Amino acid sequence: MQKGSIRVQTENIFPIIKKFLYSDHEIFIRELVSNAVDASQKLKTLTSLGEVKGDIGNTDIHILIDKDKKTLTISDKGVGMTEEEVDKYINQVAFSGAEEFLEKYKGKNEANIIGHFGLGFYSSFMVSDKVEIITKSYKEDSKAVRWECDGSPEFSVEENDKENRGTDIVLYINEESAEFLEPERIRHMLEKFCKFLPVPIFFEDKQINNPTPAWTKKPADLTTQDYQDFYKELYPFSEAPLFWIHLNVDYPFNLTGILYFPKVKKSFEIQKDKIQLYSNQVYVTDEVKDIVPEFLMLLHGVIDSPDIPLNVSRSYLQGDPNVKKIGSYITKKVADKLEELFREDRKSFEEKWESLGLFVKYGMITDDKFLEKANKFNLFEDADGGKYYTLDEYKTAAESLQKNKEGKIVMLYTTDPVQQNSFIKAARQKEFVVVKLETIVDAAFINNMEMKWSDIQFVRVDADILENLIDKNESNESVLSKEEAEKLKDLFHVEIPDLHTTIEVKGLSPDSAPVIATRPEFMRRMKDMAMNGGGGMGSFYGNMPEEVTLTVNGNHPIYQNILKEENKDQQENLVKNLTDLALLSQGLLKGNELTTFINRSVEMMEGKPKTKIITEA
Ligand code: ADP
Ligand code: MG
């Protein structure tokens, strides 16, 4: 037996390795199994080059737990190592790798580092009291060796009688790491890190990996079913995806993968962090934040790239030119795919819009390159549902009727077709097109697109009376004289706490409602932002009273009678009821005011004493 010291002058690094980032201890399995995979792949390469002759048999990898001996063994049938190679690769190269790693990251507690940067072979000491390597090289006449190290810098090497080619790494699991002798724990780790490694891996007589996952195959060789099956393999409990994109580039960087569009419900229950990042089929992470543009994180699937630097910290990753290119490549691919789907089967694209819309709009807000392409396929759904407009189509439909004073096209929208029903109906009567912008991203979408689309003004359908919103030359003559209009205006006054009302009398169409309550667009948006937790100006406006404009339609026939009414109390009751009806349609009548309205209405219907009905204090 030969003994040696891994390196004379160095301090003992094993205690440091052992303590290093406890939570990530499980990555040792990834490192050791990847080494076993590498050794098997090398053997196959050598065979194909003719350097290894004859039948190499299978190169399956086996993981074994021996509870009595408290060992975990990773066993491969790869190239193996000669004694010189053990000295070179384990005692020198791997050791200096581990040492360098610790040099770099000692004391830093950046939890993601170790997960991205393998400590390689020496990570085994995080969980072991002692590690053994029993290995026999593929080289003819080579003798098997057994290397052993107990966590001190001293190691020993001796000859061994292992007969078959390959390597067994035997970990004598330490007491704190007893969890790694539990089969369930190991299975779980193997499924996480090794699920798609390219060499068959067995644990407890069952193969745990799929060596040829869909993303490594050619799209032409895959059916719809294959893509869907692979999705199920990744996310066993998810609904089938809407569609997918197969990524495949080799220049200027290497990247393969499949991205799936998940089905999403209206609410923002989308799960980010569903994309898994691999490097040559080795699982690296599901935190792809710095690699994939944020809006694309709503997608699911797999990205595999050996070119993404994994051995560095986050801040470096953000500045990495390859990473930037990867981000814009994926963005382009996704935009192209959406455009293709839209062009080739618009109907099915529209059917998926509920799921796609959130994603597309989020992308348009956050990524100008994407916006440019998405303008072609972003859709606006009609308030009644079922009909969709692209931006250009909306412009064409609205061109003749819906322009404001500056000549911009007014895009009328509703955030709640049920609550804003009376306004939608009124707009439709005038043949205006109202679209639904009711999802959680829409408020931000509106604010952003208004800046980006110079020829569009977004106006919620209840923001003002339609006559004010849209610059139509046909204004109705008022049937009231100036004095009558003044008199009418004086009859209206609203005293509701936290409600700031402005009253105006206008001559609208006699068919329009007698009083219309509208909520000015700007104030309402600010209020909404405050409610959704938007800081800054939002919280400033959040404390301001609600703004409402009451437009009294002087041309409505009802005012002829009201103006003539001699019983002042009755006159006031009528005016109050009309006001309350308008406020009610905006959901602004609540509590005490609502009760008073109900009581007043009942009494008026009963034809009760025509006295003023007073709001309770
Ligand atoms: P890396 O894999 O990045 O080279 P490691 O510390 O994981 O670093 O491994 C160091 C070296 O030890 C490997 O490059 C390889 O030459 C050798 N090695 C480790 N495990 C095996 C194995 N199972 N079979 C053959 N060689 C191995
Ligand atoms: Mg390695």
Side-chain angles (χ1 to χ4, degrees):
M1 186 180 356
Q2 206 193 328
K3 289 201 178 224
S5 181
I6 289 176
R7 210 191 246 185
V8 214
Q9 74 274 42
T10 193
E11 63 178 305
N12 189 348
I13 70 164
F14 296 119
I16 309 173
I17 291 179
K18 273 187 194 175
K19 266 198 274 165
F20 202 89
L21 290 175
Y22 188 74
S23 65
D24 263 333
H25 275 179
E26 55 179 37
I27 62 108
F28 79 88
I29 198 101
R30 176 188 77 186
E31 293 302 322
L32 296 181
V33 178
S34 318
N35 283 350
V37 167
D38 289 346
S40 312
Q41 301 281 63
K42 277 181 203 160
L43 185 76
K44 282 186 207 157
T45 310
L46 290 171
T47 311
S48 67
L49 293 172
E51 288 187 31
V52 178
K53 304 228 160 56
D55 181 14
I56 58 166
N58 78 53
T59 56
D60 297 348
I61 293 164
H62 287 264
I63 318 290
L64 305 159
I65 293 176
D66 186 329
K67 277 214 161 175
D68 297 332
K69 288 194 190 143
K70 299 194 174 151
T71 58
L72 178 68
T73 302
I74 293 98
S75 172
D76 70 59
K77 304 183 185 111
V79 282
M81 286 179 276
T82 61
E83 189 174 338
E84 295 80 61
E85 284 167 337
V86 170
D87 187 51
K88 185 170 166 202
Y89 296 127
I90 301 297
N91 296 339
Q92 295 171 35
V93 177
F95 183 78
S96 50
E99 202 180 33
E100 190 193 328
F101 173 80
L102 285 178
E103 270 313 300
K104 239 175 161 167
Y105 297 118
K106 209 166 23 176
K108 288 190 197 168
N109 232 11
E110 241 186 284
N112 63 313
I113 294 171
I114 198 166
H116 287 186
F117 183 93
L119 204 51
F121 168 73
Y122 280 98
S123 65
S124 54
F125 284 94
M126 292 195 296
V127 298
S128 313
D129 284 330
K130 183 170 89 173
V131 178
E132 254 175 28
I133 304 174
I134 300 160
T135 181
K136 184 168 159 47
S137 167
Y138 74 95
K139 288 173 187 159
E140 268 167 50
D141 304 325
S142 61
K143 292 196 177 90
V145 284
R146 179 175 160 282
W147 176 95
E148 179 190 303
C149 182
D150 67 358
S152 68
E154 276 81 44
F155 64 87
S156 64
V157 194
E158 61 184 14
E159 261 184 41
N160 183 271
D161 53 11
K162 179 176 167 56
E163 284 179 4
N164 311 321
R165 177 204 68 223
T167 304
D168 300 336
I169 308 285
V170 186
L171 311 184
Y172 291 79
I173 298 296
N174 64 30
E175 227 158 275
E176 313 88 276
S177 307
E179 59 186 295
F180 299 121
L181 293 170
E182 295 302 326
E184 272 319 299
R185 180 82 169 96
I186 295 298
R187 177 187 312 286
H188 187 77
M189 284 156 61
L190 290 171
E191 274 166 7
K192 175 170 169 188
F193 290 113
C194 307
K195 193 161 180 191
F196 299 115
L197 284 174
V199 176
I201 298 162
F202 288 84
F203 178 60
E204 295 191 316
D205 295 330
K206 256 183 76 190
Q207 183 167 347
I208 56 100
N209 66 326
N210 167 5
T212 51
W215 84 83
T216 62
K217 298 179 185 166
K218 284 201 204 90
D221 297 338
L222 293 164
T223 63
T224 298
Q225 193 60 45
D226 293 333
Y227 283 108
Q228 281 173 349
D229 289 347
F230 182 58
Y231 188 76
K232 268 259 171 295
E233 210 175 326
L234 290 172
Y235 317 103
F237 304 109
S238 292
E239 252 187 279
L242 287 176
F243 55 88
W244 44 87
I245 300 171
H246 200 134
L247 305 167
N248 193 348
V249 246
D250 43 27
Y251 182 83
F253 47 83
N254 234 292
L255 181 133
T256 50
I258 301 174
L259 291 178
Y260 290 92
F261 279 71
K263 255 192 201 132
V264 265
K265 311 275 149 49
K266 246 187 205 123
S267 59
F268 229 45
E269 49 182 32
I270 304 167
Q271 291 183 29
K272 288 188 177 180
D273 280 346
K274 280 286 212 164
I275 298 179
Q276 302 177 357
L277 182 67
Y278 288 76
S279 177
N280 287 325
Q281 294 175 242
V282 184
Y283 174 86
V284 178
T285 180
D286 57 7
E287 276 182 43
V288 296
K289 196 159 118 235
D290 300 314
I291 295 151
V292 172
E294 209 194 329
F295 77 100
L296 293 175
M297 284 169 59
L298 306 177
L299 302 182
H300 297 170
V302 170
I303 295 171
D304 187 334
S305 176
D307 289 341
I308 296 173
L310 303 169
N311 52 346
V312 284
S313 67
R314 294 241 137 147
S315 47
Y316 182 84
L317 210 53
Q318 280 163 351
D320 185 84
N322 260 346
V323 170
K324 282 216 175 93
K325 274 183 223 146
I326 287 171
S328 46
Y329 167 78
I330 297 174
T331 304
K332 185 181 172 314
K333 274 284 178 189
V334 168
D336 288 348
K337 179 74 185 184
L338 287 166
E339 198 188 332
E340 177 196 312
L341 287 171
F342 173 73
R343 258 190 296 110
E344 285 177 2
D345 189 352
R346 173 150 176 178
K347 196 160 176 319
S348 110
F349 187 87
E350 286 177 351
E351 279 160 12
K352 294 175 183 134
W353 184 247
E354 187 174 324
S355 289
L356 289 181
L358 281 178
F359 168 84
V360 170
K361 286 173 190 170
Y362 192 15
M364 291 169 77
I365 294 168
T366 53
D367 191 314
D368 282 345
K369 280 249 166 65
F370 183 78
L371 170 75
E372 227 173 89
K373 292 189 175 241
N375 275 335
K376 276 178 252 163
F377 53 75
N378 175 59
L379 295 178
F380 296 95
E381 188 182 3
D382 191 87
D384 278 347
K387 187 169 163 50
Y388 294 87
Y389 303 87
T390 63
L391 179 61
D392 281 343
E393 288 163 359
Y394 188 91
K395 284 187 196 166
T396 310
E399 180 83 68
S400 58
L401 288 175
Q402 291 170 239
K403 284 212 172 140
N404 68 9
K405 296 184 177 72
E406 297 146 47
K408 286 189 185 187
I409 291 196
V410 177
M411 186 175 281
L412 289 174
Y413 68 95
T414 170
T415 51
D416 188 339
V418 175
Q419 209 238 303
Q420 292 148 17
N421 179 277
S422 63
F423 294 92
I424 298 170
K425 284 225 168 87
R428 188 150 300 125
Q429 242 165 31
K430 295 190 183 300
E431 290 178 14
F432 296 157
V433 188
V434 184
V435 296
K436 264 193 257 187
L437 288 173
E438 56 182 346
T439 66
I440 187 128
V441 285
D442 282 322
F445 178 76
I446 288 167
N447 285 333
N448 269 274
M449 293 312 119
E450 222 161 42
M451 286 187 278
K452 286 166 180 164
W453 297 336
S454 53
D455 52 349
I456 297 282
Q457 185 198 3
F458 287 93
V459 178
R460 200 165 89 172
V461 70
D462 62 343
D464 201 341
I465 53 163
L466 294 160
E467 283 75 0
N468 286 354
L469 291 177
I470 287 156
D471 185 34
K472 289 225 291 177
N473 292 328
E474 46 147 274
S475 60
N476 282 299
E477 289 272 312
S478 182
V479 296
L480 299 180
S481 69
K482 229 179 155 191
E483 292 73 42
E484 284 173 319
E486 281 297 314
K487 208 175 141 202
L488 186 58
K489 190 175 172 189
D490 289 342
L491 290 175
F492 282 87
H493 36 80
V494 184
E495 277 143 39
I496 298 181
D498 294 326
L499 194 68
H500 182 258
T501 43
T502 313
I503 293 159
E504 55 178 26
V505 178
K506 289 222 161 171
L508 309 177
S509 147
D511 305 332
S512 295
V515 183
I516 304 166
T518 54
R519 302 174 63 190
E521 181 79 9
F522 177 74
M523 258 327 239
R524 198 216 81 243
R525 276 195 212 178
M526 292 301 150
K527 281 245 162 217
D528 284 354
M529 260 162 69
M531 242 170 56
N532 294 330
M537 291 307 265
S539 56
F540 169 74
Y541 288 105
N543 298 323
M544 308 263 288
E546 197 87 52
E547 284 280 345
V548 179
T549 306
L550 290 178
T551 305
V552 178
N553 176 12
N555 288 355
H556 197 282
I558 199 168
Y559 293 117
Q560 296 302 327
N561 294 333
I562 288 179
L563 283 168
K564 277 187 222 129
E565 177 63 56
E566 280 173 7
N567 182 332
K568 290 292 152 202
D569 286 346
Q570 171 69 358
Q571 187 181 47
E572 193 168 335
N573 285 341
L574 288 167
V575 166
K576 280 219 144 70
N577 247 35
L578 289 174
T579 308
D580 286 352
L581 284 170
L583 293 173
L584 200 60
S585 82
Q586 273 288 17
L588 292 169
L589 207 60
K590 287 169 202 150
N592 215 10
E593 284 78 21
L594 183 58
T595 311
T596 308
F597 164 73
I598 293 168
N599 293 340
R600 187 198 305 121
S601 302
V602 174
E603 288 190 23
M604 285 170 76
M605 285 157 98
E606 287 174 339
K608 273 260 180 84
K610 298 186 170 172
T611 53
K612 187 163 110 180
I613 296 155
I614 303 163
T615 309
E616 289 164 47

